[in-house]
Amino acid sequence: MNTPNNKRKKASIDRIEKVFIKLLQEKEMDKISVSDICKKSKLNRSTFYANYTDIYDLADTIRDKLENELFLLYKEDYMQGINSNDYVKLFKHIKENQLLYQTYFKLGYDNNYKIINYDEELAKTYFPNGYVSYHMAFFKAGITQIIKMWLKNGCKESPQDMFEIIKSEYRGRDAFFTNE
């Protein structure tokens, strides 16, 4: 194994991804070409194609990296089979990686993302009426919009403030679901 080449490959991948993310802030993905990326990263097309099939593969790779980082962030929860509901950890990660999250949502991954591992069993205890899938869709759409709004506003509120906003939306839940 040739370590210098591995470092060079990693450096090339990092440059390609950074240039792609930067270009996505300026224009839509369908307006970005491999040539654009190669020119701005000062790499050959062969370097790009040695690592990615096309622009969409590059976008998927960035999505997978972010989702893997989130998995690692909550790995202990997953391993123990629990949901700590520690959204402060999520909001800290978002604040530290704003550009990456903006890119993630700009690429349209918010319709089938794996950012939030929803605890369906816990939800069934709160929503025993059998409509858990509707609640999950509602929660996912709500938290996605809150994250997008927070990103758009430059993440001015603290991660703890954002967690309090989420919690406040769930206070008094029973009052909203009674049919009296």
Side-chain angles (χ1 to χ4, degrees):
M1 189 182 267
N2 191 341
T3 304
N5 284 340
N6 289 338
K7 287 180 182 176
R8 191 177 338 187
K9 179 177 178 161
K10 182 173 176 3
S12 295
I13 288 170
D14 288 346
R15 283 172 47 196
I16 289 169
E17 290 177 2
K18 284 178 182 168
V19 165
F20 179 63
I21 288 169
K22 187 173 189 251
L23 285 169
L24 273 171
Q25 305 318 303
E26 301 166 6
K27 50 185 165 178
E28 297 301 316
M29 189 164 83
D30 62 349
K31 303 291 185 218
I32 299 172
S33 69
V34 172
S35 294
D36 293 337
I37 294 169
C38 292
K39 281 180 198 170
K40 290 203 180 259
S41 64
K42 297 183 172 122
L43 294 168
N44 294 323
R45 289 173 64 85
S46 60
T47 303
F48 180 92
Y49 287 113
N51 296 293
Y52 308 101
T53 308
D54 55 20
I55 297 282
Y56 299 98
D57 183 37
L58 171 56
D60 288 344
T61 299
I62 289 170
R63 177 200 62 214
D64 292 345
K65 281 183 177 182
L66 177 62
E67 290 177 353
N68 188 54
E69 279 185 37
L70 284 167
F71 171 78
L72 294 175
L73 197 63
Y74 289 98
K75 184 178 180 180
E76 195 144 325
D77 283 11
Y78 296 130
M79 300 300 280
Q80 294 178 16
I82 63 166
N83 181 349
S84 65
N85 292 311
D86 185 356
Y87 289 98
V88 174
K89 196 181 333 185
L90 172 66
F91 285 114
K92 281 181 182 176
H93 193 265
I94 293 168
K95 189 166 191 158
E96 292 166 1
N97 298 282
Q98 292 178 49
L99 187 58
L100 191 54
Y101 279 90
Q102 288 167 342
T103 301
Y104 185 84
F105 289 122
K106 184 167 185 170
L107 290 170
Y109 291 126
D110 50 322
N111 289 327
N112 42 344
Y113 66 76
K114 300 171 198 151
I115 288 178
I116 304 293
N117 185 22
Y118 198 88
D119 189 340
E120 191 170 342
E121 292 307 312
L122 179 61
K124 285 178 183 176
T125 64
Y126 288 109
F127 302 97
N129 59 8
Y131 298 120
V132 173
S133 59
Y134 289 102
H135 169 71
M136 289 170 35
F138 181 82
F139 179 81
K140 182 178 172 183
I143 197 156
T144 298
Q145 290 307 314
I146 286 172
I147 291 169
K148 285 179 173 182
M149 179 183 264
W150 190 49
L151 284 165
K152 185 178 179 185
N153 293 332
C155 297
K156 292 177 185 159
E157 297 83 2
S158 73
Q160 185 63 39
D161 289 340
M162 295 308 296
F163 178 58
E164 292 301 322
I165 290 168
I166 298 293
K167 281 190 346 187
S168 73
E169 292 304 313
Y170 275 81
R171 280 195 192 111
R173 171 184 20 238
D174 293 338
F176 291 109
F177 295 104
T178 58
N179 192 12
E180 295 179 17

